[in-house]
Every structure is written in structure tokens, then in C-alpha cells.
Amino acid sequence: MTGDCLGLFGGIGNINGQIAESGKVMLLAANGVIASNNEAGGICGNLSVGEIYGCSFTGTVKGTEAGGISGNAGQYTKISQCFFAGDVQGKYNAAGICGYSPFRVIDHCISIAAVTSDEHCAGIVNSGYYGTTNCYFNNDVYDVKEEEEGKGGRSTLQLTSPDFFEKLIKDEGFNPDIWTKKANDKETGIAYYPSLGENNAVGVKYTTGLLFERTDNATPTYGQDITFNAKALVNFATDGQPISATDGQPISAEDTEGSFEIRIGDTPVVSAADFKNGIATYKAQTVGETIFTLVYTGTNSSFFPEQTTKDLTVNINPALLTVEGKGIAGGTYGNKLRELKVTRLTAKLGTEPIDGTWQIQSDDDKVPYVGDSETYTATFIPTEHPEYYQTLTAQVKLEISKAIAPKIQDLDLKYSWAAKGEKAVQIPGLPEDLGETTMEVIMLDNSMNVLAADPDIKYSEGKLLFTLGENTMDDIGEHAIVSVQLRSKNYNDIVFGITITRTAKADREDTPDPDAFDMTFTVSGNDLAAQITTDRTDVEFSFDGTDWGQTKSTGVGHNEKVIAQIRYAETDDYNASPAVSKTWNSGHGPLNRHDRVEPTCQAEGSIEYWTCDVCGLYFASADGSKSITATEIVLPKTDHSWAEGYLSDMTGHWHKCGVCGITSNTEKHASGGAATTERAEICTICGYEIAPKKPAASNDDDDDDDDDSSQASNTDQKATGAATPPAATATPATPGVVKPSVIPVPPTTPAADENSKEDAAKPSGEAQDTQESSGEAPQEERIDSMTAQTSDSQESGTEQITETSGKGTNAGRVAAAAAAGAVVVGGGGAAVYVTMIKGKFKFK
């Protein structure tokens, strides 16, 4: 519709430029394009005197003074309970409801308008300091400073929220008899503004998504706090495209009606109560690449589905531990370095002590001696999850105590009465690693002079040295008794006695060659036995230095020192000779070999190793020369071997592990562009066809002509269904102006559906009769109410509105018309009754 001072009504209360009596337009819904060289409004161009109540207009309004409902409004006017959605373009003044009014005459109105003007713009009305009462506009579509318009701006999310609508009805004075709020459609993603009747609801498309990120880029470590930022975003669209601000970036609104939770796998690690303004902190309890899943439960949300998730992968490093204390590695002589117990060290994560043990790592089997003053490095081994921590070491000093010495049997030495001079006797069973050793004679009984007058008893390299006295046959059977104490570096003091007896037999001065005998170990089940082997037949054997005889074997324990002694046996002519001894370690017998097991992405592996079934020790070699711990045999799991190609379906795409068959997390498809008639919509990552090509558009048109084609408009629009509003004329938008997406909602009342079905099934004459019988006007009295579609230019035609006037009014006629849904316009002695019938206005 184009011309001067235009709207559905050019002017109300103004006839040929003269103020007339007050008129009232109420409960009217229309859409289209209004273009004027002067004032322009969706309902009225110039509201001089009168009221517009409960009316809505959807479309485009252009003029020098342009408003979504009225171009301007005088002092004795009122615009109340009205709604506008669309474009408003004014030369001097433009606003969502009324282009200009210097009076406070507008209340309880809502505008979803993109407003542009060469001079003055407003969300509701350009009114100077007078303002409005309880009016709101969409400041996503038209952004204005709040203080400039009484803080009436609201976001798309607020305006389409059921809570906001409930507040309008309960607290703001919006009339619940005419206002409604169609429920947002979560499945199709359409949110609805408050509207004057559900059939007139205006919707806006939207998508939902989650923002899930960390608040910093530093790589966290185990035990540190990881702070997450989470938002549930609703992205509103216009004409199928995201609403854009002046910088071209999408505008998103944050939904706060649902609740957040963060999970690792299926285990919740951050609850809804832990979130404060979308921020939550998690103390890292894992190491490596950890997938966190944000879960947004939208049960109470007006926009989100029941549950929405988003993953975030965070690489968490092992924690850096600190050590407190000065370490001491203690033990008795004979323990290897790795067997020493480390004390006085504490490993801490921050201020929290971590359970574990310290161990000196040594590649050899070194046995430290008593008094070792070297410094060694100890490594901390956590009791649980050692992989969670970085390697921690500390320097330690040794405190080695003396070992318990083996019990040395008293020596019973026999010498012929004629023997004399210095003697050297090996002490059987004496450890070979005594270290520096001194001897003290603590008791000597030589009353019979078996020993020399000054015996000078000494110790040297495992032997006892003493000197025999000069005796006669009368001294046969006499003896000397000596008690000595050996004080060594590595063992506790050793005390033993010596009895030296003079005999009639001669003494053997020599001893068997130590190389003349050896020892072997045999295994029977779990039992070990030591066996002395020698080719000599003139000797006897002992394992304890007391029981001598021909028994060459004895049972022994695992990893035990075994002392074997041998001496010349007593004969008729000679006493038994002094003994010689050798010491062996029994070891473990044959060890069980365990083959190397390669690790996989499902299970840990192990190195090749050997075990003793008796004592349970682990060894790195078959000879048992190097013992190892249980943790040292473990090979950690490998990473998954993801296939290069993707598997996919309509939900997304993923990789599959070629070893275990597990699948990675599903990723959403990345669209390469919407489907067209030329190509399908394809995922740019995996090649999956998201949507097929669109079919070619049909050119079939409905050629039925309206019966009243000679009336108001140059070209009538074809009705597509009962009471369906005519489509708005497409008008190029001013650059930079954001248009809200308008989605007309078809009628849903059963009566309207039934009338449409009956009319379609009847001849045209019968359909006309039906209209008359139902209280509707015949088709020949209809006029087009909406946009005149021009074929040449806006000036080529003007919409003509014809009234049937002169019909008298009375209270009954007006009440009946209003009850039937008619709009009553007029004053004085006349009235015009306007009814919309199938997209057309009927005047009576």
C-alpha cells in the first residue's frame, strides 16, 4: 500500500485535515507493506483523536513519520495492548509502535522492530521526555541505550521466555483476555513472542549449543584446580541466518533455566551446586588426556532439550612433588643398597603428604659396609598411582649397623705330647667379610703349660695363631683353655672358646687343600639341599663344626649362606687335622621363566623375567644375580591405534581402534553448506551426506481468480486456506538493518478447519451460502485489506478501501458485531464494522 498518510486506516479522528470525533480500532490483526510520502503506520497513518486497542501488525512500514502501529499520535489518543514485528523506516522519525508523539499515550505494547531513520529512532516512540507505560522492544533487533527509552529494551531470549510473559500478565497489566504466549517448540527450534491470539504468533528460529572451556591455557598437573567456564547458549536467527551485530558476529543469549554437571565417563566430578555463574573448579585426579563431558539438563528450560552434552579434552601432567627432611638409609650389614630402608623423608603434593616408600635405585648388588660415608640417591615410589606424579629423588646418607655374626663353635684341638712351636688354625664358619678385625683374649687357663709360657695368641685372616709349650709323655691328657673375642667392622663381636689337649697320637700338621672340595645344590620340589663333593677318601665333613662324619649333604634355605668344613679324619696314628671351610650362597635353585608380554591399548605388558616360587622374588636374569621389584616388570598400556578413515552415521563421525575395536567419541558433522538443487549437504571431515539434493521447484500456480478482482487492489493475492493472512510484500531492507524472522502461524481452531474442508467440497454457490448462514458477508462485498503488489513502482497504484456507510448504529448492533469479532470504527451517528474473512476485510 503506497500513498500519503497511510495505514490500514489513513487517519483516525481526522477528516480532510480537520479534527473529527474520536474513533476506536480494536482487536485487529494485519500484515503487509505500508509505504507513504507522509505519516505511515501499520494500523493508522495519523491518529489524531481516538484509540487503537489490541491490534497487531507484521510487515514493513515506510514514511516520513513511521511507526509499527501508527505514524503519529495526538494528545487525545491512546495506543494500548498492541504488537508489531517487522521493519520501520522513517525519514524524520521512526519507532517500533508510533513514529512520533509528544504525549504519554502509549501503554502495554511490544515491538519486535528493526528501526532506521535519517534523524530520530526509538524502540517504542519518539516522545521526548514523556515516554510510555509498560512497553517493551527487542534490543537485539534495534539496539538503543536503556536510559534513552525508559529501560524498555529486552533481549530475544527474554521476550520469548514464558517467565517474562507470566510477569507481563501478573505484574505489568497486560490483558490476559487478549494476550497469549505460544509454547516454544524445542524440536523444531522456534521460539514465540507474546501475541494477540495464538494464530497471530510471531516466531523466531533458534539453535542451542554449549560453551565449555577452561579459564586459562596453562597445562594443569595432578592435584591442581582446573577452572571451567560453561554457558548454555541460544542463538537466534533472522530469515534463516544468525542475528548479527554491527561487527558481523553472531549474537547469543545465555539460558540460565537448566543446570550443569561435569562428568568423566559416567562419573560425575562437578555437581550443579558447584557452579557459580557458569564457573566451576575441579581438582585434577587423573593424568594424561582426560575427556570431560559437560551435561546441561534442560528440563526446566524453555529452549533446550532434556539433555545436551559437550566434550572437552584436557591434558593433565603428572604432579610435581616436593620433599621435606634429610634422608637416612638404614639397615644391617649384608643388605643390598636397594634393600635399605629410607627414613626421615616426606613427599608432599603442596602441603598434603603422599603415602609411599623411598628406595635407593642401584643397577648392581652392592652391599655397603658399616661406616660407608658416601651419599646416595633415593627415589620416591608412591603407594597408589605412581603415574600421577613426576619422579621425585632425594640425597640420603647411610646408617649401616653391624650384622649378627654366625655362631662359631668352640674349637677342640688335639696335639701329640711331642708337638711344639707356633701353630695356625683356621676358624671354621667365620665370615669372610668381617672387615678390619681385632682379637682380645678374655680368658686363659694354661696351668699345665700346654701352651708356651708366653703363648702370644693372635688372629690373622681367619686363623688363630698360638705357640705350644714343650711337654713330656707325662702331660698326655693335659689341656689348656682359651676364650677369645673377635671385634670386626661389619659384624657384632664373636666370642668362642678353644680347648687344646695333649694326646698320645701324633697330630697332623697339614690340612686338606680347600680346592679339593666343592659344593652343589639340588632341588626337590621347593626344597634345596647342599652337597659336598670331593675325590678324597681320607677326610670327614661337617656343616656346623661339631658333628663330623661322612654325611656330605644337608637341607638349606633359599638365598642362605652355607658353610662346609672338611678335615683329615682321625686314624690310629694321627688325630684329626684342623678343619678348612668354604662358604657358598644357596640361591634359589632353578627359577621360573616368564616370557615378555607386549602391552596393548587394553592391558599392560611385562618384560621377560624370572621368579622363585618359594620366596616370591623377581629376577632380571635366569641366574638370579639381579633381583627386581614387581613394578619394574610392568610395561604400560599403549595408546589406541585409531584407523585413519572415519565411521559415520546421521549423528556424527568417529574413529575405530584397529586393535581392541573401541570407538572414539562421536564428533558432530561439519556441514559444507546447505543442500541445494545442485548438490547435497556433505560433511567436510568424513564425507557423510547430511542431507540429499533438494528437488527442483514446481512452477504450478493456482489460477483461480477472486470474485472481487475489480475492487481495491491491482492484483489480488490468492488465499491458501481459510483465514490465512496474505503474504507480506518483499521490500529490500535498508543496509545494516536487522530484520526479525517472522513465521506466520496458520489457524488451529477446529471450526476454521471444518469450514475450509466444507467450502472446498461444495460448488461456489453453496460455499457462498455457507458464509452467509454462518454470519459472514458474501464474497462480492469483500475488499482486499493488505498490501497492493505493484508491477511497475510504488507510485503505480494505491490500495482502495470501500466502505458501505449510512447504516445507522444502535447499541444492539454494535454489541452483536463486537461479539462476532468485528472491529467497530466510528463516532457520532455512524459506525463501520470491519471483519476479516479468509484474509480479506469485510466492511458493513
Side-chain angles (χ1 to χ4, degrees):
M1 180 184 296
T2 61
D4 295 330
C5 197
L6 283 183
L8 184 59
F9 300 93
I12 297 177
N14 186 316
I15 301 176
N16 296 325
Q18 300 296 318
I19 300 295
E21 294 189 26
S22 174
K24 184 173 183 179
V25 178
M26 58 186 295
L27 306 178
L28 180 63
N31 59 22
V33 175
I34 304 294
S36 172
N37 297 324
N38 206 330
E39 295 95 344
I43 301 300
C44 173
N46 183 4
L47 179 60
S48 297
V49 179
E51 179 181 357
I52 301 175
Y53 178 85
C55 295
S56 66
F57 187 82
T58 303
T60 301
V61 178
K62 298 179 181 179
T64 57
E65 308 278 351
I69 298 299
S70 178
N72 61 24
Q75 181 176 4
Y76 303 106
T77 63
K78 185 177 183 181
I79 301 176
S80 179
Q81 309 281 348
C82 291
F83 176 89
F84 173 77
D87 248 351
V88 178
Q89 303 171 25
K91 183 175 182 180
Y92 303 119
N93 292 292
I97 297 297
C98 180
Y100 176 75
S101 176
F103 308 105
R104 194 181 189 93
V105 295
I106 303 174
D107 65 83
H108 302 94
C109 293
I110 296 175
S111 169
I112 315 297
V115 182
T116 57
S117 173
D118 294 341
E119 295 187 10
H120 304 293
C121 293
I124 299 296
V125 61
N126 290 289
S127 62
Y129 297 100
Y130 291 93
T132 63
T133 302
N134 294 346
C135 291
Y136 298 97
F137 63 92
N138 189 324
N139 58 10
D140 284 340
V141 178
Y142 171 64
D143 189 14
V144 66
K145 294 181 180 179
E146 288 289 338
E147 59 269 18
E148 292 181 8
E149 256 195 88
K151 302 185 186 256
R154 296 293 183 270
S155 67
T156 306
L157 183 126
Q158 289 175 302
L159 290 170
T160 56
S161 167
D163 291 341
F164 178 76
F165 179 72
E166 183 177 353
K167 181 180 179 183
L168 294 181
I169 299 300
K170 287 185 177 181
D171 304 330
E172 301 288 339
F174 280 69
N175 188 347
D177 294 332
I178 59 175
W179 286 95
T180 187
K181 166 70 173 73
K182 186 172 182 178
N184 296 343
D185 191 335
K186 296 183 182 181
E187 291 187 5
T188 60
I190 299 178
Y192 292 97
Y193 295 103
S195 61
L196 294 166
E198 190 166 297
N199 290 345
N200 301 315
V202 173
V204 55
K205 293 182 180 179
Y206 73 90
T207 59
T208 58
L210 299 180
L211 170 69
F212 187 29
E213 61 187 7
R214 293 180 53 217
T215 57
D216 61 74
N217 295 323
T219 301
T221 61
Y222 174 81
Q224 284 186 339
D225 285 344
I226 304 175
T227 303
F228 296 100
N229 180 25
K231 291 183 179 180
L233 300 178
V234 183
N235 304 304
F236 292 97
T238 177
D239 297 331
Q241 299 298 323
I243 296 177
S244 298
T246 55
D247 60 359
Q249 296 300 315
I251 293 178
S252 297
E254 185 175 353
D255 182 55
T256 59
E257 296 175 336
S259 60
F260 287 115
E261 181 182 78
I262 297 178
R263 301 174 183 172
I264 297 178
D266 295 328
T267 304
V269 295
V270 179
S271 68
D274 297 326
F275 277 89
K276 305 298 181 186
N277 297 321
I279 302 296
T281 299
Y282 165 73
K283 186 174 183 180
Q285 298 297 307
T286 61
V287 167
E289 287 194 351
T290 303
I291 299 176
F292 293 89
T293 300
L294 177 68
V295 180
Y296 186 67
T297 302
T299 305
N300 299 321
S301 171
S302 305
F303 303 93
F304 273 79
E306 179 72 20
Q307 198 170 83
T308 306
T309 63
K310 186 173 184 179
D311 290 342
L312 177 64
T313 300
V314 179
N315 186 32
I316 303 174
N317 286 339
L320 178 64
L321 298 176
T322 58
V323 60
E324 288 185 359
K326 294 182 178 181
I328 296 296
T332 57
Y333 175 77
N335 288 323
K336 299 173 184 178
L337 280 172
R338 65 171 56 239
E339 296 171 344
L340 299 178
K341 183 178 181 179
V342 179
T343 58
R344 304 182 190 176
L345 291 178
T346 302
K348 288 188 173 182
L349 178 59
T351 59
E352 179 184 354
I354 303 300
D355 291 336
T357 58
W358 293 84
Q359 186 181 69
I360 297 176
Q361 303 291 333
S362 176
D363 293 333
D364 56 29
D365 289 329
K366 177 180 178 180
V367 176
Y369 57 85
V370 176
D372 189 333
S373 60
E374 291 187 45
T375 299
Y376 294 87
T377 300
T379 301
F380 179 66
I381 304 172
T383 302
E384 295 182 351
H385 300 293
E387 70 275 10
Y388 287 179
Y389 310 98
Q390 297 181 32
T391 301
L392 178 64
T393 61
Q395 299 299 304
V396 296
K397 291 286 189 178
L398 301 188
E399 287 187 357
I400 307 300
S401 61
K402 292 183 178 183
I404 297 175
K407 181 174 177 57
I408 302 300
Q409 298 295 325
D410 292 340
L411 301 181
D412 186 9
L413 304 178
K414 297 184 181 341
Y415 291 94
S416 168
W417 63 270
K420 60 182 178 180
E422 187 175 77
K423 302 296 180 181
V425 178
Q426 185 182 25
I427 304 174
L430 200 65
E432 297 175 1
D433 52 355
L434 290 174
E436 184 179 346
T437 305
T438 60
M439 188 188 76
E440 178 184 356
V441 177
I442 56 178
M443 192 276 290
L444 173 62
D445 180 4
N446 190 32
S447 59
M448 303 307 296
N449 297 317
V450 171
L451 297 175
D454 185 10
D456 192 20
I457 302 173
K458 301 177 182 178
Y459 169 83
S460 177
E461 297 181 351
K463 294 181 180 180
L464 191 66
L465 306 178
F466 57 90
T467 303
L468 293 174
E470 294 186 2
N471 296 114
T472 65
M473 292 183 64
D474 293 338
D475 295 321
I476 294 173
E478 299 295 339
H479 58 265
I481 299 175
V482 182
S483 180
V484 299
Q485 177 177 275
L486 296 179
R487 182 170 285 114
S488 68
K489 183 176 185 177
N490 295 325
Y491 289 86
N492 292 334
D493 292 350
I494 302 172
V495 178
F496 61 95
I498 308 165
T499 301
I500 302 172
T501 305
R502 288 295 196 173
T503 67
K505 292 183 180 181
D507 295 319
R508 296 197 65 154
E509 298 295 331
D510 59 338
T511 58
D513 184 355
D515 293 334
F517 76 103
D518 208 339
M519 183 181 290
T520 60
F521 294 91
T522 59
V523 180
S524 175
N526 289 329
D527 297 328
L528 282 175
Q531 177 79 32
I532 299 174
T533 59
T534 181
D535 293 331
R536 299 193 68 98
T537 59
D538 56 349
V539 294
E540 58 183 355
F541 314 98
S542 177
F543 289 97
D544 58 7
T546 300
D547 295 328
W548 290 88
Q550 295 303 310
T551 301
K552 298 181 180 180
S553 64
T554 186
V556 295
H558 282 240
N559 200 30
E560 178 181 272
K561 287 184 178 180
V562 180
I563 300 172
Q565 301 182 49
I566 186 174
R567 69 183 181 182
Y568 289 122
E570 183 179 1
T571 66
D572 292 339
D573 299 319
Y574 292 96
N575 293 317
S577 72
V580 293
S581 65
K582 294 171 78 173
T583 303
W584 288 266
N585 189 292
S586 63
H588 294 271
L591 301 176
N592 293 325
R593 178 176 178 271
H594 300 266
D595 291 335
R596 178 183 176 91
V597 177
E598 297 298 333
T600 68
C601 52
Q602 289 183 300
E604 296 174 335
S606 60
I607 63 173
E608 181 186 36
Y609 65 99
W610 285 260
T611 58
C612 174
D613 288 342
V614 176
C615 61
L617 292 179
Y618 297 82
F619 301 93
S621 58
D623 60 5
S625 60
K626 181 180 179 182
S627 63
I628 55 177
T629 64
T631 58
E632 291 178 284
I633 71 173
V634 177
L635 296 174
K637 292 181 182 180
T638 63
D639 294 332
H640 288 292
S641 179
W642 300 119
E644 292 185 6
Y646 282 93
L647 299 174
S648 59
D649 63 14
M650 65 185 296
T651 64
H653 48 255
W654 60 90
H655 289 292
K656 183 177 182 181
C657 177
V659 177
C660 67
I662 196 173
T663 58
S664 63
N665 291 327
T666 301
E667 299 173 356
K668 292 183 178 180
H669 290 303
S671 174
T676 67
T677 56
E678 300 296 328
R679 61 179 178 80
E681 181 180 7
I682 301 297
C683 175
T684 59
I685 297 176
C686 69
Y688 181 82
E689 183 178 284
I690 303 172
K693 292 180 181 179
K694 291 185 176 181
S698 173
N699 293 322
D700 294 339
D701 291 325
D702 182 1
D703 295 330
D704 294 337
D705 295 329
D706 285 345
D707 294 337
D708 55 351
S709 58
S710 61
Q711 291 192 17
S713 63
N714 293 331
T715 306
D716 282 347
Q717 297 174 341
K718 306 298 185 295
T720 59
T724 302
T729 302
T731 303
T734 303
V737 176
V738 179
K739 295 183 179 181
S741 176
V742 178
I743 306 173
V745 180
T748 59
T749 59
D753 292 341
E754 291 300 321
N755 290 340
S756 176
K757 295 176 182 178
E758 292 176 5
D759 289 351
K762 295 178 181 180
S764 59
E766 293 180 20
Q768 178 176 334
D769 292 340
T770 302
Q771 292 174 349
E772 294 178 8
S773 64
S774 63
E776 298 181 0
Q779 291 191 12
E780 60 266 17
E781 292 187 14
R782 295 185 309 172
I783 65 167
D784 287 337
S785 65
M786 307 315 297
T787 305
Q789 302 181 3
T790 59
S791 59
D792 297 322
S793 67
Q794 290 185 345
E795 291 78 12
S796 63
T798 302
E799 181 72 24
Q800 302 296 320
I801 301 179
T802 304
E803 300 181 1
T804 59
S805 60
K807 294 183 179 180
T809 62
N810 56 58
R813 183 173 176 83
V814 173
V823 178
V824 182
V825 182
V832 178
Y833 303 90
V834 185
T835 305
M836 179 175 283
I837 303 173
K838 296 186 178 180
K840 308 296 182 177
F841 287 106
K842 170 63 183 173
F843 290 77
K844 296 182 181 178

